[in-house]
Amino acid sequence: MQVPAPFEYERATTVEHAIALRERLGEEARFIAGGHSLLPMMKLRLANPEYLIDINDLTELFYISEESDEIRIGAMTRHRELLDSELLAQYFPIFRDAEKVIADPVVRNRGTLGGSLCQADPSEDLSAVCNALDASCVIKSTTGERIVSMSDFHVGPYETAVGPAEMLTEIRFPLKANAGSAYEKVERRAGDWAVVSAGAAVWMDGDRIAGGRVGLAAVGPNTTLIGPVSEALDNVVPSEELYQLVGDIAAANCSPQTDQRGTEAYKTHLAMELTRRSLRRAVARAQGQEA
Amino acid sequence: MTTTEAPPEQERPIGFGRLLRKEDPRLIRGMGNFVDDIQLPGMLHLAILRSPMAHARIVSIDTSAAQAHPKVVAVITGADLAEQGLAWMPTLSNDTQAVLATDKVRFQHQEVAFVVAEDRYSARDALELIVVDYERLDPVIDVRTALNPDTPVIRDDLEGKTDNHIFDWETGDEAATAEVFNNADVVVSEEIIYPRVHPAPMETCGCVADVERVSGKLTLWCTTQAPHAHRTVYALVAGLPEHKIRIIAPDIGGGFGNKVPIYPGYVCAIVASLVIGKPVKWVEDRTENLVSTGFARDYIMKAEIAATKEGKILAVRSDVLADHGAFNGVAAPVKYPAGFFGVFTGSYDLEAAHAKMTAVYTNKAPGGVAYACSFRITEAVYMVERLVDCLAYELEMDPVELRLKNLLKPEQFPYTTKTGWVYDSGNYEPTMRKAMEIAGYEELRREQAEKRERGELMGIGVSFFTEAVGAGPRKDMDILGLGMADGCELRIHPTGKAVVRLSVKSQGQGHETTFAQIVAEEIGIPPEDIEVLEGDTDNTPFGLGTYGSRSTPVSGAAAALVTRKVRDKAQIIASGMLEVSVADLEWNKGSFSVKGDPSKSVTIQEIAMRAHGAGDLPEGIEGGLEAQICYNPSNLTYPFGAYICVVDIDPGTAVVKVRRFIAVDDCGTQINPMIIEGQVHGGLTDGVGMALMQMISFDEDGNCLAGSLMDYLIPTALETPDWETDSTVTPSPHHPIGAKGIGESATVGSPPAIVNAVVDALKPYGVRHADMPLTPSRVWEAMQGNHTPPI
């Protein structure tokens, strides 16, 4: 049994309480949500927080709600809720694609959307999903709240824009008409981190793609939105040639490293291949050709 | 999938047949008793400080801060052990291994010091307080350069050692083989690598050591597959009198060879209990298990096969470079430093064969354990089955046709191979044909041809393997001088229930059921009335333990023979009870009756009561109904099998999906087909792991990159198909019940079938060979013509 270093434990009862605890306990305190990244790191003594602030009682952060122009998801919403949600499946099928291949049911029962984003692992699937969907993050502190786009949220590997006395509370997803989205992942084994994964979202104007975004995971120091892809998807007619072009752009704009999951060349190839595939499916879904 | 339903109650076999495992109610309800479940009054906890470096001189160790930790009882370093002469211990291969490093560390995560504390957390916390000053030395990581003249010498502790050479070994006739190769129509060469893998049992290794202060008796609850062998080794090494050592192996959560060696942690716990006078528990964490305990394989095999242009295989030869890590910890009979690699001639009738091997030290964890491989047969079978496929590729022949053309014929058995192994029995072709029939082989090839037209990648892989298990005859085989014969004791209680005591130790194989069935078959007492006892050296006869698929071939034979000995005595007692001569009795599985008059009979239960009861017994017969024997096998047994694997590969991502796997095994007489199927399912799953995803790899500094199950992957149900298992039955002629053993067949036979399938799928890309692990990345590189060896 791997055992963590000594730590103190506090259990927050409300968001305000959690933020107050964080403010009081300072840099050495960590929120614990699902704990499926933090606890293994603590057991391996890669993370040695002095305090854990347990936020699993914050039921106010467990929700998926539909507003007029966006979907709002509470930061403590579990993977399993994201997988099961018919509302998300209707607007953002990319969620169900991704959740099916995230870890395993035991992890999905505990892990949360907010925890995944705050962990900021460059291989994190939901970060790629949120990038593709142009999500924004609501960050609260004792003095108020601020809203940060996904591209500003992740500032580096395992680093986010959330400050020491702040908390990610909600993630917002803009609703767009005639939209489609999809997620593709290659893993060495079920439940493994991605070798590479790609999420694509498009919105259509008649037969043309009005716009689109692609987010990749495990292809560089951070989960990335591929900016030039958005330019290539601005008001274009979908075609195999376009998917290939966008795939090539994705491959050219990522910087994977050789490791045990694969070589740089293979990962670069996957960035192309999975971008192509996710884009093709996203368009088909937007056109109502795939349920 | 093969059905694994148990028969209804009234059809429960009294003897061989499908029977639910007796141990399962305990295990599946969480009521097992594993080493880490053991709690003793006053028990302390031990944690080991390990080296962060692969090769470094220890300049100094400061334990003062750790000693000052309020819950720490003791901190011990290599220097402390050296004072007692306990800093080094022998390995299973007569090498020495540091218990705690004294001079230098020789692999990353080597044991450097240990802490004993009041609880597990404090012991672990105190490790952080020990300060070790290391002077880095260049590590030897690339096995191919280990023997270069300018390479640092790892084992400068060995007197006069000036290089990293361990041993050279060879088998077969080199000149005769060269002659055949020189005259052959076709010669195919390939460098075939079996990377370093790890048994990774679910339960890690550990022990509780308890030395009683007054009697001086050591009781060691330990995760060991070989309790008796361990007891004797402790006696020989530590100088403890053997009768003052009791090894108890409670429930074991998987072994696969990982729990054969004696690890430094066990010795540390014993020393700690001896010094402190309290029981001490040491249980590895997952990382420690993966990075420091017995690995397996790590062979680079330069292999060649010679054949006629018609596809008659003439000869096989190989030159192997073996990476044994920092200490030679190979678990194999002493005269077999390369294990049973000599069976690399496979299932084929050859004219000549030769293999040579050089084993070297590197700055990696020691091991070379028999991970479900029957002592290196995994490597041998993988090599020859890959070679045969390479030959089929060059000859443009179907790999099944090529095998059928060369398989040994039934009339050739017993067959002596060109490397001197005597295969006991075999009838190979029907087994191959059965697998082909289940697979629908012709139809699969037709489907493949169609798919290739469309650019789809489908592969069909075949392997035919011959195993050599049940070590072994004591004239040839011993481990550290201990012969590989097994004792067995059977007692029938007065009421006709029984207890059978064995030296082997189940790690999940179902011994409590299988051995009860063997006794039941021989004496007609229902299996549920027979208790199987093993894993306690004070209460079981001596024997060498469970590994190399030896439990059924050796101890299973012992169980059958001891039961026959008891039955012979029962027959004499029955002759007295029925007042007829012994020769006038016939046996009806559970009772003796008078020949020609079945109404006059006595059951074994009645005989048992008479044996223990009042009244006279036939002249010269003692009371009681029990016997003990020691079984020395006259030969190994040679199970075999034909496996067919079907894979689909996504051409865009190179992801391999195992679509079907057909396994037809022949392990001779079957005791419990349900347990056999379970063993095969597990071994096949292991094969998927090794073929597609597993490798213990190192960076150039010798850092182990497989320190967690996030890095060292274990396959799940999603990577495995519904296994299609079947069998043929060719009994062993020399085993009392004809059983051959099954534990490792699937692990031996499945990796080549899977790799052959992947390579077959890649034929349109001109791929003839690709090394494991065939991760998507490695498959894709092969498709680009960039296949690189994994080491």
Side-chain angles (χ1 to χ4, degrees):
Chain A
M1 185 174 74
Q2 266 141 339
V3 294
F7 61 92
E8 300 290 325
Y9 177 86
E10 298 273 2
R11 204 167 174 98
T13 51
T14 62
V15 169
E16 288 67 32
H17 183 209
I19 294 170
L21 281 169
R22 187 81 203 276
E23 191 168 34
R24 178 162 65 80
L25 299 172
E27 293 269 9
E28 297 307 317
R30 291 281 301 266
F31 289 129
I32 181 160
H36 277 268
S37 296
L38 182 55
L39 288 181
M41 287 170 73
M42 287 171 64
K43 288 168 119 186
L44 293 166
R45 302 200 176 205
L46 298 171
N48 296 298
E50 282 180 26
Y51 301 92
L52 281 189
I53 303 167
D54 190 333
I55 53 174
N56 281 280
D57 286 347
L58 306 188
T59 49
E60 62 204 273
L61 299 183
F62 292 65
Y63 58 87
I64 302 171
S65 69
E66 183 177 5
E67 306 297 323
S68 59
D69 57 349
E70 64 186 9
I71 298 286
R72 295 180 177 184
I73 303 180
M76 282 299 293
T77 306
R78 313 268 182 203
H79 288 295
R80 181 175 172 177
E81 307 299 329
L82 301 174
L83 175 63
D84 289 347
S85 167
E86 291 303 329
L87 183 68
L88 283 184
Q90 179 194 338
Y91 288 119
F92 306 123
I94 186 174
F95 263 109
R96 192 164 283 178
D97 289 349
E99 286 294 353
K100 278 183 183 167
V101 292
I102 290 175
D104 53 55
V106 178
V107 172
R108 293 199 292 260
N109 284 341
R110 293 288 299 169
T112 65
L113 173 57
S116 299
L117 296 185
C118 288
Q119 180 68 18
D121 188 306
S123 303
E124 176 56 55
D125 293 286
L126 287 185
S127 300
V129 169
C130 291
N131 266 311
L133 293 177
D134 197 12
S136 50
C137 300
V138 179
I139 299 172
K140 276 196 176 159
S141 64
T142 47
T143 54
E145 68 176 42
R146 60 193 179 107
I147 295 173
V148 176
S149 73
M150 274 312 296
S151 35
D152 293 332
F153 184 80
H154 284 134
V155 296
Y158 307 99
E159 266 189 281
T160 71
V162 182
E166 289 186 318
M167 185 179 190
L168 171 66
T169 55
E170 184 180 89
I171 300 90
R172 296 177 180 172
F173 300 86
L175 287 172
K176 291 180 172 142
N178 307 314
S181 60
Y183 195 72
E184 295 278 349
K185 175 178 179 177
V186 166
E187 52 193 358
R188 293 174 301 172
R189 190 209 61 192
D192 189 22
W193 292 99
V195 177
V196 169
S197 60
V202 294
W203 47 102
M204 308 288 290
D205 180 5
D207 289 340
R208 301 179 77 81
I209 296 173
R213 294 165 65 93
V214 168
L216 298 179
V219 293
N222 219 337
T223 302
T224 17
L225 172 76
I226 307 292
V229 163
S230 304
E231 292 162 30
L233 290 173
D234 185 14
N235 189 24
V236 283
V237 177
S239 68
E240 279 301 319
E241 291 71 28
L242 176 72
Y243 306 148
Q244 182 67 53
L245 172 74
V246 174
D248 290 340
I249 292 171
N253 283 278
C254 64
S255 52
Q257 288 187 337
T258 297
D259 61 15
Q260 287 189 289
R261 294 197 169 82
T263 60
E264 181 188 338
Y266 174 63
K267 291 181 181 184
T268 306
H269 164 78
L270 280 186
M272 179 279 290
E273 181 67 25
L274 298 184
T275 296
R276 215 160 60 108
R277 290 183 185 195
S278 59
L279 197 54
R280 187 189 294 133
R281 274 174 75 203
V283 169
R285 283 170 171 169
Q287 294 175 328
Q289 290 165 2
E290 191 197 327
Chain B
M1 192 190 295
T2 325
T3 58
T4 50
E5 278 135 38
E9 187 122 358
Q10 64 274 22
E11 291 168 31
R12 271 191 198 164
I14 298 177
F16 301 160
R18 290 180 178 273
L19 182 69
L20 284 180
R21 302 196 333 162
K22 291 172 65 179
E23 46 270 81
D24 282 350
R26 174 177 88 247
L27 296 173
I28 62 179
R29 290 176 200 175
M31 304 296 280
N33 184 40
F34 297 86
V35 164
D36 209 5
D37 292 321
I38 310 269
Q39 302 291 344
L40 299 177
M43 189 175 76
L44 302 172
H45 295 264
L46 187 151
I48 294 174
L49 181 73
R50 295 175 182 278
S51 164
M53 294 188 189
H55 200 193
R57 196 161 299 287
I58 296 175
V59 178
S60 65
I61 304 180
D62 181 356
T63 62
S64 54
Q67 302 265 16
H69 188 289
K71 290 191 172 174
V72 166
V73 179
V75 184
I76 306 284
T77 65
D80 300 326
L81 290 186
E83 285 173 20
Q84 311 294 323
L86 290 170
W88 293 81
M89 64 177 189
T91 70
L92 293 174
S93 300
N94 281 318
D95 192 2
T96 52
Q97 173 174 3
V99 176
L100 294 177
T102 51
D103 49 346
K104 36 176 216 178
V105 291
R106 293 176 170 83
F107 66 94
Q108 192 200 26
H109 301 300
Q110 187 182 337
E111 299 80 0
V112 173
F114 69 80
V115 168
V116 182
E118 290 171 21
D119 61 80
R120 187 172 287 184
Y121 285 79
S122 300
R124 176 67 183 83
D125 291 346
L127 295 183
E128 318 261 330
L129 303 174
I130 300 173
V131 181
V132 185
D133 186 10
Y134 295 101
E135 177 195 331
R136 184 188 181 280
L137 301 170
D138 285 337
V140 183
I141 302 306
D142 179 357
V143 64
R144 297 171 204 261
T145 65
L147 292 178
N148 289 358
D150 54 343
T151 302
V153 177
I154 298 167
R155 295 301 303 279
D156 48 359
D157 57 297
L158 299 173
E159 207 177 317
K161 194 77 186 147
T162 57
D163 60 21
N164 294 314
H165 181 266
I166 305 177
F167 66 78
D168 288 319
W169 168 88
E170 74 172 302
T171 186
D173 187 331
E174 185 168 20
T177 307
E179 177 77 17
V180 175
F181 268 86
N182 289 340
N183 297 319
D185 300 339
V186 187
V187 170
V188 182
S189 308
E190 195 66 74
E191 182 183 90
I192 296 170
I193 293 172
Y194 210 130
R196 178 177 281 230
V197 293
H198 197 278
M202 192 187 295
E203 178 203 35
T204 60
C205 299
C207 69
V208 178
D210 186 15
V211 180
E212 287 173 41
R213 289 212 125 166
V214 177
S215 67
K217 181 158 183 171
L218 162 69
T219 304
L220 186 73
W221 287 264
C222 188
T223 52
T224 172
Q225 300 176 217
H228 289 276
H230 277 202
R231 184 187 64 188
T232 306
V233 172
Y234 288 124
L236 294 174
V237 174
L240 292 167
E242 197 166 5
H243 68 297
K244 297 279 190 188
I245 305 172
R246 179 183 185 186
I247 309 289
I248 300 176
D251 283 326
I252 305 277
F256 316 106
N258 187 240
K259 291 167 180 167
V260 172
I262 290 176
Y263 292 117
Y266 304 155
V267 179
C268 292
I270 293 168
V271 169
S273 181
L274 204 58
V275 170
I276 300 166
K278 286 187 174 180
V280 174
K281 179 186 279 187
W282 168 70
V283 177
E284 285 174 340
D285 64 30
R286 176 62 59 194
T287 300
E288 291 180 292
N289 180 255
L290 285 169
V291 300
S292 74
T293 62
F295 74 91
R297 331 290 192 239
D298 221 342
Y299 273 13
I300 297 176
M301 302 176 278
K302 289 200 174 81
E304 287 188 291
I305 189 165
T308 67
K309 57 185 185 301
E310 292 79 24
K312 172 77 186 80
I313 302 172
L314 302 173
V316 173
R317 65 182 171 192
S318 70
D319 186 354
V320 181
L321 181 58
D323 186 343
H324 284 221
F327 307 102
N328 182 20
V330 165
V334 169
K335 289 180 197 163
Y336 299 81
F340 297 171
F341 187 78
V343 301
F344 70 91
T345 56
S347 314
Y348 311 108
D349 188 12
L350 306 182
E351 290 179 8
H354 179 255
K356 58 183 176 182
M357 179 181 298
T358 298
V360 299
Y361 291 119
T362 60
N363 287 116
K364 301 174 194 169
V369 296
Y371 166 20
C373 71
S374 316
F375 306 120
R376 304 286 191 181
I377 291 176
T378 329
E379 292 92 318
V381 164
Y382 179 69
M383 184 187 83
V384 67
E385 288 305 291
R386 225 23 315 282
L387 266 184
V388 170
D389 261 38
C390 291
L391 177 63
Y393 182 99
E394 293 301 331
L395 293 172
E396 296 182 0
M397 268 181 85
D398 183 285
V400 165
E401 188 192 331
L402 179 58
R403 284 178 173 81
L404 284 171
K405 205 180 179 96
N406 289 283
L407 287 176
L408 291 166
K409 303 278 182 285
E411 60 274 16
Q412 290 177 279
F413 291 88
Y415 175 80
T416 304
T417 71
K418 289 294 179 280
T419 47
W421 301 76
V422 183
Y423 293 2
D424 58 347
S425 65
N427 191 6
Y428 291 171
E429 186 172 334
T431 310
M432 187 74 245
R433 298 262 179 219
K434 194 166 194 174
M436 291 169 70
E437 189 186 324
I438 296 167
Y441 187 75
E442 303 304 326
E443 172 61 23
L444 284 172
R445 285 288 175 203
R446 199 190 53 69
E447 180 191 347
Q448 180 186 42
E450 278 179 22
K451 289 197 160 153
R452 276 191 182 155
E453 290 288 310
R454 297 199 297 268
E456 294 173 34
L457 301 180
M458 168 184 168
I460 305 157
V462 180
S463 73
F464 195 101
F465 64 90
T466 300
E467 263 261 69
V469 306
R474 61 193 305 163
K475 66 177 165 36
D476 299 324
M477 294 181 187
D478 69 276
I479 288 185
L480 294 177
L482 300 171
M484 302 188 78
D486 282 1
C488 183
E489 184 201 300
L490 175 66
R491 288 186 202 170
I492 313 293
H493 303 312
T495 57
K497 315 293 183 189
V499 56
V500 59
R501 298 167 195 269
L502 298 130
S503 59
V504 285
K505 178 60 208 173
S506 179
Q507 308 119 47
Q509 294 94 331
H511 285 189
E512 289 167 51
T513 311
T514 295
F515 288 115
Q517 288 185 270
I518 292 173
V519 173
E521 179 74 21
E522 296 290 340
I523 206 156
I525 295 173
E528 55 266 33
D529 288 351
I530 300 163
E531 186 178 13
V532 176
L533 268 185
E534 53 178 29
D536 179 349
T537 54
D538 269 9
N539 288 304
T540 54
F542 186 85
L544 263 263
T546 293
Y547 42 85
S549 297
R550 65 186 300 280
S551 294
T552 295
V554 186
S555 273
L561 292 180
V562 81
T563 313
R564 288 176 196 176
K565 201 169 169 185
V566 167
R567 198 176 72 201
D568 288 345
K569 181 175 180 182
Q571 185 166 3
I572 298 172
I573 297 171
S575 76
M577 292 168 77
L578 294 170
E579 297 178 333
V580 294
S581 76
V582 166
D584 287 334
L585 290 173
E586 63 184 10
W587 173 246
N588 316 300
K589 202 175 184 179
S591 64
F592 283 103
S593 62
V594 177
K595 283 180 184 165
D597 185 1
S599 68
K600 288 180 75 178
S601 74
V602 284
T603 65
I604 189 71
Q605 288 81 6
E606 290 163 341
I607 299 168
M609 187 54 86
R610 173 61 71 98
H612 294 87
D616 283 341
L617 292 172
E619 196 169 332
I621 293 295
E622 292 175 355
L625 193 55
E626 56 197 58
Q628 178 159 4
I629 67 153
C630 183
Y631 176 76
N632 175 32
S634 59
N635 187 9
L636 301 178
T637 57
Y638 293 80
F640 55 92
Y643 290 178
I644 298 177
C645 176
V646 183
V647 301
D648 297 301
I649 300 179
D650 182 326
T653 62
V655 171
V656 176
K657 174 82 186 161
V658 179
R659 188 207 306 174
R660 289 182 67 195
F661 200 104
I662 296 91
V664 180
D665 273 285
D666 193 319
C667 60
T669 305
Q670 301 195 352
I671 296 155
N672 186 331
M674 213 154 68
I675 286 181
I676 289 169
E677 285 158 15
Q679 294 261 47
V680 170
H681 286 191
L684 296 176
T685 305
D686 252 2
V688 169
M690 286 179 274
L692 300 184
M693 59 189 78
Q694 294 173 338
M695 178 171 169
I696 299 283
S697 53
F698 298 84
D699 68 14
E700 58 194 17
D701 290 324
N703 296 308
C704 181
L705 304 176
S708 81
L709 296 182
M710 235 162 54
D711 306 296
Y712 189 77
L713 301 175
I714 308 288
T716 74
L718 293 176
E719 283 75 44
T720 55
D722 279 351
W723 306 114
E724 300 171 63
T725 59
D726 209 324
S727 58
T728 55
V729 176
T730 309
S732 167
H734 64 83
H735 188 279
I737 57 176
K740 288 186 168 187
I742 187 65
E744 301 166 314
S745 287
T747 320
V748 166
S750 56
I754 298 165
V755 173
N756 286 347
V758 172
V759 172
D760 183 53
L762 299 182
K763 203 170 187 181
Y765 292 84
V767 176
R768 193 180 80 181
H769 176 69
D771 285 310
M772 301 183 282
L774 291 167
T775 59
S777 182
R778 293 182 54 78
V779 171
W780 185 79
E781 299 290 349
M783 289 163 69
Q784 313 308 309
N786 291 335
H787 175 69
T788 49
I791 46 177

